[in-house]
Amino acid sequence: MPTSGLSSPTTLAAPTPETIRHPAELKALDLAGLERFAEDVRRFLLASVSRTGGHIGANLGTIELTLALHRVFDSPRDALLFDTGHQGYTHKIVTGRAPRFATLNQYGGLNRFLSRAESEHDPIEASHAGTSISVALGLALARKLRGEPGRVVAVIGDGSLAEGMAFEGLNHAAVETSGLVLVLNDNGYAISPGSGALHEALQAGRAGAFFGALGLEYVGPVDGHDLGALIPALERARDGARLTVVHARTVKGHGWTPADRHPFRSHFSFPFDPQSGAVREGFVARGYPDVAAAVVGEEMETDERIVCVTPSTLYATGLAGVFARFPERCFDPGMEEQHALTLATGLALGGLKPVVAYQSTFFQRAFDQLVHDLCFPGLPVLLLLFRSGFAGYDNPTHHGIYDLAYLRGIPDLRLLYPKDGHEAERMVRDELRGLSGPTAILMPYGPVDELDPSVRLETPESFALPQVDFHGRELVVLAVGNRYRAALEAVEDLRARGVDAGLVNLRYLKPLPEAFLAEELRGVKRVVTLEEGVLEGGVGSALTALAADHGLPAQWLRIGLPCAFVEPGSSAELARAYRLDGPGVLARIHARWPELA
Ligand SMILES: Cc1ncc(C[n+]2csc(CCOP(=O)(O)OP(=O)(O)O)c2C)c(N)n1
């Protein structure tokens, strides 16, 4: 029988969250010492995350589970893979990263997720959900083939287990001999409260039957806050011959009463008061999801065919109110990005008008569904893609900076990008009313700009074309909505110095209004394209191709992002760093054409 090792405390000074540098230090603690350490971590997290913001609820729920994992396994020899990685704060502390917690959610600070660049204890990059089983299985098989020691453990939440790829990984892992251990962190929530048949099976105590039917060894359910129960359960999985799943029941926000009153159990919070949980002022602003959801709700009142789908992203899409008002016509299938889009395809085939809302970065998951299921038959579905462009402090892979490049190449998909809240409102309303094929409206993260209410009064004919703010002959800037304000600043500066500079807000990125643009640019000496996305395959590349096709003789300057993974940061910080703000754009124009300076 393996022993739990809980009866061999040493006399070394007990580690604290602030001082611990390596998980091996936990091995010296007895059960009571580990429990005290868990409470210290809880206090540390509340004190630190309340100042910086972060995934407080998700992390308060995994303190004991993470300590038990580090107690039973030997990281980095044993690889611990936390799915998504948003619940990895205790893992970060135990692996010596507590001193950096004050920099969470700051430019250049501690990552919100797990990252190989940060620690040898982080075997994978994670931040998109549902990858852990596949990566862990691959890693475990590689170790086996190369004769390397060490177990591989995938820790996955109940929400992430519903991802298509997690199911695919499970289906495969169950028939391989790989030495893999699975740990299910079941708190009944994704971000929003859990739903779906898997959720119900877990709640109803049918997990054993579910995993057993796949041939897995099942241990649980275990109280995920009871170290005395978790440790032997994990030891059994570690020492077992067959692939074992340990089912830990945890409570999101465990030990912190404000989470009990929160609809998402405080999954994530901006800086907050640790006593009341109240978010500090200044962090709540009207965003594009609010604008779009208000229009969708109004249109649903009068058009019964409109239905809404969002895959576990109510928090990012502003649709919570719409879901509450029209529960029969709204569907949140869980974190199932691929299914959500093909579901919308079926809804459209059935004569309805689906609005499908995603966080842009997660829409990447549904690429073939977009090409094959939606665009090939050309069905009328309105896609709302939020957090296009820079997406804040999440992770490099959370930025929606590839969306325009990969969406532009798909036949029959219309792409729109508003420059402010007024345009967003008008686009959502007009497109919903006239929907005849696949259409995507992309919108940026952060508070809405309210630049130009006159778009409300534009005729349909004029609104169907780019908006020309100024005509210019020396230079014209063609701007995508997410960088319109920077373009305006640069153009106003040029005009103030006597340069005949023009500005066009593109609005329609696919199909491009070719004839209109060719006409507007005829005779113009210099053209600048500006977008908050990668230049490779981006809107600038489409516009320069248009110039070539139409024989426009201008000199061109494409401003956008390099084809790279961009660090987390606020929109302002990143725009400054990548010279996409007004001064940056102006500096690039001057560098290219010193005669305009
Ligand atoms: C592919 C993908 N879709 C959506 C998200 C946004 N997201 C981050 S964590 C999360 C919920 C994860 O739920 P679960 O796995 O149960 O973990 P919990 O936070 O409840 O511990 C969601 C929806 C994501 N990171 N990746």
Side-chain angles (χ1 to χ4, degrees), residues 47-71:
S48 188
V49 177
S50 63
R51 286 194 290 268
T52 59
H55 288 96
I56 188 66
N59 279 289
L60 291 175
T62 47
I63 297 173
E64 289 81 9
L65 179 59
T66 309
L67 295 182
L69 280 161
H70 277 293
R71 176 61 184 240

Short mmCIF file of all heavy atoms in Angstrom, two decimals, residues 47-71:
data_model
loop_
_atom_site.label_atom_id
_atom_site.label_comp_id
_atom_site.label_asym_id
_atom_site.label_seq_id
_atom_site.Cartn_x
_atom_site.Cartn_y
_atom_site.Cartn_z
N ALA A 47 -5.73 39.37 -0.51
CA ALA A 47 -5.06 40.66 -0.32
C ALA A 47 -4.46 41.14 -1.64
O ALA A 47 -4.58 42.31 -2.00
CB ALA A 47 -3.96 40.51 0.74
N SER A 48 -3.85 40.22 -2.37
CA SER A 48 -3.12 40.65 -3.57
C SER A 48 -4.06 40.88 -4.76
O SER A 48 -3.99 41.91 -5.43
CB SER A 48 -2.07 39.58 -3.92
OG SER A 48 -1.25 40.03 -4.95
N VAL A 49 -4.96 39.93 -5.01
CA VAL A 49 -5.81 40.03 -6.20
C VAL A 49 -6.85 41.15 -6.03
O VAL A 49 -7.30 41.74 -7.01
CB VAL A 49 -6.46 38.66 -6.51
CG1 VAL A 49 -7.40 38.74 -7.69
CG2 VAL A 49 -5.38 37.62 -6.77
N SER A 50 -7.23 41.46 -4.79
CA SER A 50 -8.17 42.57 -4.61
C SER A 50 -7.53 43.88 -5.08
O SER A 50 -8.22 44.80 -5.48
CB SER A 50 -8.62 42.69 -3.15
OG SER A 50 -7.52 42.97 -2.31
N ARG A 51 -6.21 43.95 -5.04
CA ARG A 51 -5.54 45.19 -5.50
C ARG A 51 -5.32 45.20 -7.01
O ARG A 51 -5.39 46.24 -7.64
CB ARG A 51 -4.18 45.33 -4.79
CG ARG A 51 -4.31 45.73 -3.33
CD ARG A 51 -2.99 46.18 -2.76
NE ARG A 51 -2.05 45.09 -2.60
CZ ARG A 51 -1.92 44.36 -1.48
NH1 ARG A 51 -2.65 44.65 -0.42
NH2 ARG A 51 -1.06 43.38 -1.41
N THR A 52 -5.05 44.03 -7.59
CA THR A 52 -4.69 44.00 -9.02
C THR A 52 -5.83 43.59 -9.92
O THR A 52 -5.80 43.84 -11.12
CB THR A 52 -3.57 42.96 -9.25
OG1 THR A 52 -4.05 41.68 -8.82
CG2 THR A 52 -2.31 43.31 -8.49
N GLY A 53 -6.84 42.91 -9.37
CA GLY A 53 -7.84 42.23 -10.20
C GLY A 53 -7.29 40.88 -10.64
O GLY A 53 -6.07 40.66 -10.65
N GLY A 54 -8.20 39.96 -10.97
CA GLY A 54 -7.76 38.64 -11.42
C GLY A 54 -8.85 37.60 -11.21
O GLY A 54 -9.97 37.91 -10.79
N HIS A 55 -8.48 36.33 -11.51
CA HIS A 55 -9.47 35.24 -11.44
C HIS A 55 -9.63 34.78 -9.99
O HIS A 55 -9.23 33.66 -9.62
CB HIS A 55 -9.00 34.08 -12.31
CG HIS A 55 -9.10 34.35 -13.77
ND1 HIS A 55 -8.05 34.80 -14.52
CD2 HIS A 55 -10.15 34.24 -14.62
CE1 HIS A 55 -8.45 34.96 -15.78
NE2 HIS A 55 -9.71 34.62 -15.87
N ILE A 56 -10.24 35.59 -9.18
CA ILE A 56 -10.28 35.32 -7.74
C ILE A 56 -11.13 34.10 -7.41
O ILE A 56 -10.71 33.21 -6.67
CB ILE A 56 -10.69 36.58 -6.94
CG1 ILE A 56 -10.54 36.34 -5.45
CG2 ILE A 56 -12.08 37.08 -7.29
CD1 ILE A 56 -9.11 36.14 -5.00
N GLY A 57 -12.34 34.02 -7.95
CA GLY A 57 -13.25 32.91 -7.61
C GLY A 57 -12.68 31.57 -8.04
O GLY A 57 -12.64 30.61 -7.26
N ALA A 58 -12.19 31.52 -9.29
CA ALA A 58 -11.66 30.26 -9.82
C ALA A 58 -10.48 29.80 -8.97
O ALA A 58 -10.29 28.60 -8.74
CB ALA A 58 -11.25 30.45 -11.27
N ASN A 59 -9.68 30.74 -8.49
CA ASN A 59 -8.47 30.36 -7.76
C ASN A 59 -8.72 30.03 -6.29
O ASN A 59 -8.06 29.15 -5.74
CB ASN A 59 -7.41 31.45 -7.92
CG ASN A 59 -6.70 31.29 -9.25
OD1 ASN A 59 -5.94 30.35 -9.44
ND2 ASN A 59 -7.02 32.16 -10.19
N LEU A 60 -9.67 30.71 -5.67
CA LEU A 60 -9.99 30.35 -4.28
C LEU A 60 -10.52 28.92 -4.22
O LEU A 60 -10.41 28.24 -3.20
CB LEU A 60 -11.02 31.32 -3.69
CG LEU A 60 -10.52 32.75 -3.44
CD1 LEU A 60 -11.66 33.65 -2.96
CD2 LEU A 60 -9.39 32.77 -2.41
N GLY A 61 -11.07 28.46 -5.34
CA GLY A 61 -11.65 27.11 -5.37
C GLY A 61 -10.63 26.01 -5.60
O GLY A 61 -10.97 24.82 -5.50
N THR A 62 -9.40 26.34 -5.95
CA THR A 62 -8.44 25.29 -6.31
C THR A 62 -7.21 25.27 -5.41
O THR A 62 -6.21 24.62 -5.73
CB THR A 62 -7.96 25.44 -7.77
OG1 THR A 62 -7.61 26.80 -7.99
CG2 THR A 62 -9.02 25.03 -8.76
N ILE A 63 -7.27 25.98 -4.28
CA ILE A 63 -6.08 26.04 -3.41
C ILE A 63 -5.72 24.65 -2.89
O ILE A 63 -4.60 24.16 -3.08
CB ILE A 63 -6.32 27.02 -2.24
CG1 ILE A 63 -6.53 28.44 -2.77
CG2 ILE A 63 -5.14 26.98 -1.26
CD1 ILE A 63 -6.95 29.45 -1.70
N GLU A 64 -6.67 23.99 -2.24
CA GLU A 64 -6.38 22.69 -1.63
C GLU A 64 -6.03 21.66 -2.70
O GLU A 64 -5.08 20.87 -2.53
CB GLU A 64 -7.57 22.20 -0.79
CG GLU A 64 -7.79 22.99 0.51
CD GLU A 64 -8.55 24.31 0.30
OE1 GLU A 64 -9.05 24.54 -0.83
OE2 GLU A 64 -8.64 25.10 1.26
N LEU A 65 -6.77 21.69 -3.82
CA LEU A 65 -6.51 20.72 -4.89
C LEU A 65 -5.07 20.88 -5.41
O LEU A 65 -4.35 19.89 -5.62
CB LEU A 65 -7.52 20.93 -6.03
CG LEU A 65 -7.38 20.02 -7.24
CD1 LEU A 65 -7.50 18.55 -6.84
CD2 LEU A 65 -8.44 20.35 -8.30
N THR A 66 -4.63 22.12 -5.59
CA THR A 66 -3.29 22.35 -6.11
C THR A 66 -2.22 21.92 -5.10
O THR A 66 -1.21 21.31 -5.47
CB THR A 66 -3.10 23.84 -6.46
OG1 THR A 66 -4.20 24.24 -7.28
CG2 THR A 66 -1.81 24.08 -7.20
N LEU A 67 -2.47 22.22 -3.83
CA LEU A 67 -1.48 21.81 -2.80
C LEU A 67 -1.40 20.29 -2.75
O LEU A 67 -0.30 19.72 -2.64
CB LEU A 67 -1.86 22.38 -1.44
CG LEU A 67 -1.82 23.91 -1.33
CD1 LEU A 67 -2.16 24.35 0.10
CD2 LEU A 67 -0.46 24.46 -1.73
N ALA A 68 -2.55 19.63 -2.83
CA ALA A 68 -2.54 18.16 -2.80
C ALA A 68 -1.78 17.61 -4.00
O ALA A 68 -1.01 16.66 -3.89
CB ALA A 68 -3.98 17.64 -2.77
N LEU A 69 -1.99 18.22 -5.17
CA LEU A 69 -1.29 17.75 -6.37
C LEU A 69 0.22 17.89 -6.20
O LEU A 69 0.99 16.98 -6.51
CB LEU A 69 -1.74 18.58 -7.59
CG LEU A 69 -3.09 18.18 -8.19
CD1 LEU A 69 -3.66 19.32 -9.04
CD2 LEU A 69 -2.92 16.93 -9.06
N HIS A 70 0.65 19.03 -5.67
CA HIS A 70 2.08 19.23 -5.49
C HIS A 70 2.64 18.35 -4.38
O HIS A 70 3.83 18.03 -4.37
CB HIS A 70 2.39 20.71 -5.23
CG HIS A 70 2.49 21.50 -6.50
ND1 HIS A 70 3.49 21.30 -7.41
CD2 HIS A 70 1.69 22.47 -7.03
CE1 HIS A 70 3.32 22.12 -8.44
NE2 HIS A 70 2.24 22.83 -8.23
N ARG A 71 1.79 18.00 -3.44
CA ARG A 71 2.22 17.12 -2.38
C ARG A 71 2.45 15.69 -2.89
O ARG A 71 3.40 15.01 -2.54
CB ARG A 71 1.14 17.15 -1.28
CG ARG A 71 1.38 16.22 -0.14
CD ARG A 71 2.68 16.61 0.55
NE ARG A 71 2.97 15.66 1.59
CZ ARG A 71 3.09 15.96 2.86
NH1 ARG A 71 2.96 17.20 3.27
NH2 ARG A 71 3.35 15.03 3.74
#
